[in-house]
Amino acid sequence: MDKQLLLICALTFIIHIIGTLAYSVRIAGIRTRRIAVSLALFSILMLLSRTSNSFLGPFLAKRVETGIDQHVAASTLLVDFRWLLFSSSLATILGAILIPTFQRAFCRAVEHFQVHRSVPKLLLHAVFKGGLSYLKTSASLPKPANVTGLREKSGVSISMTAMNIIATALWTVGVFAALYAGVLDPSVRVTSSTLSSIINGGATIIMAVFIDPHMSGMTDDVIEGKIEESQFRRAVVWLVGSRLAGTLIAQFLLVPSAVVIVGVAKNI
């Protein structure tokens, strides 16, 4: 793995770990009873995670262009994409492990934001005024009970779990499939590179219309005492697990998605 690929893998890792840790903000909102503030921070994190995928485009596009110019085999470039997808899965696993730690950190962030009402001030506080050291003191591993209790009612249906798997898989593979389509057929690589929205658009709709509102409703139910916090935590575990499953399924969707994009690019 060369330095350029390592950099792209690192960016992919950061994007997906942010998306996974965003669930911590919902738990922090329940703990602090600052639901509106926590949802605002959650939206910022999810927006950052879901839109940052596009920033990978220029770096990866440059690598693809160089590979095409040097007549690198498509199978060789496919290995690079496999590494990137593996980075997303690894980030999701690490993010799941770090959720208890960041839940505590986000509790403090929510309280700070409630006072100062400024995201820039919150970021400065996190970096320069003890925010990083607070992570050390609040470090905690996931409790085994959160995993062993998955058979109990969680509030997340099988259909919702399946939608999260599909949405995550599509969102994870979208940009990569569009660029790999250019490898499969260099004659339409410019058009293909602009068609990631075919894949990502569906994922964004599923997340925004079905998954996020469902979790917001569950958050309100916890505050109103209709369900227990432990049930909400199990729901988060299910969603994180389905998110991991989605990144793994993205490995199998990469080539078929690229073929679809090539077909669309040729028929526009």
Side-chain angles (χ1 to χ4, degrees), residues 205-228:
I205 291 173
I206 293 174
M207 291 177 177
V209 175
F210 297 102
I211 300 171
D212 291 348
H214 180 78
M215 291 304 295
S216 296
M218 284 196 68
T219 302
D220 288 339
D221 288 343
V222 175
I223 297 299
E224 294 173 5
K226 295 180 180 179
I227 64 174
E228 297 180 356

Side-chain angles (χ1 to χ4, degrees), residues 1-12 63 84 87:
M1 183 182 292
D2 55 64
K3 292 182 179 180
Q4 185 186 46
L5 181 58
L6 186 61
L7 172 62
I8 301 173
C9 284
L11 290 174
T12 303
R63 188 175 185 85
L84 293 171
S87 298

Side-chain angles (χ1 to χ4, degrees), residues 35-98:
I35 302 301
V37 174
S38 67
L39 287 180
L41 294 180
F42 175 83
S43 298
I44 292 172
L45 287 177
M46 294 308 294
L47 179 64
L48 178 63
S49 175
R50 292 172 185 175
T51 58
S52 293
N53 241 3
S54 60
F55 292 111
L56 289 175
F59 294 98
L60 195 51
K62 176 64 176 179
R63 188 175 185 85
V64 169
E65 290 285 351
T66 302
I68 293 174
D69 291 341
Q70 295 177 355
H71 304 289
V72 176
S75 58
T76 300
L77 289 173
L78 179 60
V79 173
D80 293 350
F81 286 94
R82 298 295 187 198
W83 275 112
L84 293 171
L85 292 173
F86 174 76
S87 298
S88 67
S89 298
L90 188 63
T92 304
I93 294 173
L94 181 59
I97 295 173
L98 292 176

Side-chain angles (χ1 to χ4, degrees), residues 35-251:
I35 302 301
V37 174
S38 67
L39 287 180
L41 294 180
F42 175 83
S43 298
I44 292 172
L45 287 177
M46 294 308 294
L47 179 64
L48 178 63
S49 175
R50 292 172 185 175
T51 58
S52 293
N53 241 3
S54 60
F55 292 111
L56 289 175
F59 294 98
L60 195 51
K62 176 64 176 179
R63 188 175 185 85
V64 169
E65 290 285 351
T66 302
I68 293 174
D69 291 341
Q70 295 177 355
H71 304 289
V72 176
S75 58
T76 300
L77 289 173
L78 179 60
V79 173
D80 293 350
F81 286 94
R82 298 295 187 198
W83 275 112
L84 293 171
L85 292 173
F86 174 76
S87 298
S88 67
S89 298
L90 188 63
T92 304
I93 294 173
L94 181 59
I97 295 173
L98 292 176
I99 281 179
T101 298
F102 275 82
Q103 166 214 310
R104 292 167 173 78
F106 282 131
C107 283
R108 185 170 180 176
V110 167
E111 293 172 351
H112 183 276
F113 186 83
Q114 180 67 20
V115 174
H116 298 282
R117 311 292 175 90
S118 171
V119 173
K121 286 184 178 180
L122 176 61
L123 294 175
L124 290 174
H125 178 82
V127 175
F128 298 108
K129 295 184 179 181
L132 296 179
S133 61
Y134 182 75
L135 287 177
K136 297 179 180 179
T137 59
S138 60
S140 176
L141 291 174
K143 295 180 179 179
N146 291 331
V147 178
T148 56
L150 287 180
R151 293 183 178 180
E152 300 178 23
K153 186 177 180 181
S154 66
V156 178
S157 64
I158 295 177
S159 60
M160 187 65 61
T161 303
M163 280 194 292
N164 197 45
I165 292 174
I166 294 171
T168 302
L170 293 176
W171 177 76
T172 301
V173 82
V175 173
F176 300 150
L179 292 173
Y180 187 65
V183 177
L184 296 179
D185 192 338
S187 66
V188 292
R189 64 179 181 269
V190 176
T191 305
S192 297
S193 66
T194 64
L195 293 176
S196 62
S197 58
I198 293 178
I199 310 296
N200 283 353
T204 301
I205 291 173
I206 293 174
M207 291 177 177
V209 175
F210 297 102
I211 300 171
D212 291 348
H214 180 78
M215 291 304 295
S216 296
M218 284 196 68
T219 302
D220 288 339
D221 288 343
V222 175
I223 297 299
E224 294 173 5
K226 295 180 180 179
I227 64 174
E228 297 180 356
E229 183 179 335
S230 58
Q231 185 175 340
F232 183 84
R233 287 178 174 275
R234 287 193 294 272
V236 169
V237 174
W238 272 110
L239 288 178
V240 172
S242 60
R243 181 184 178 89
L244 174 60
T247 62
L248 295 173
I249 291 175
Q251 294 276 3

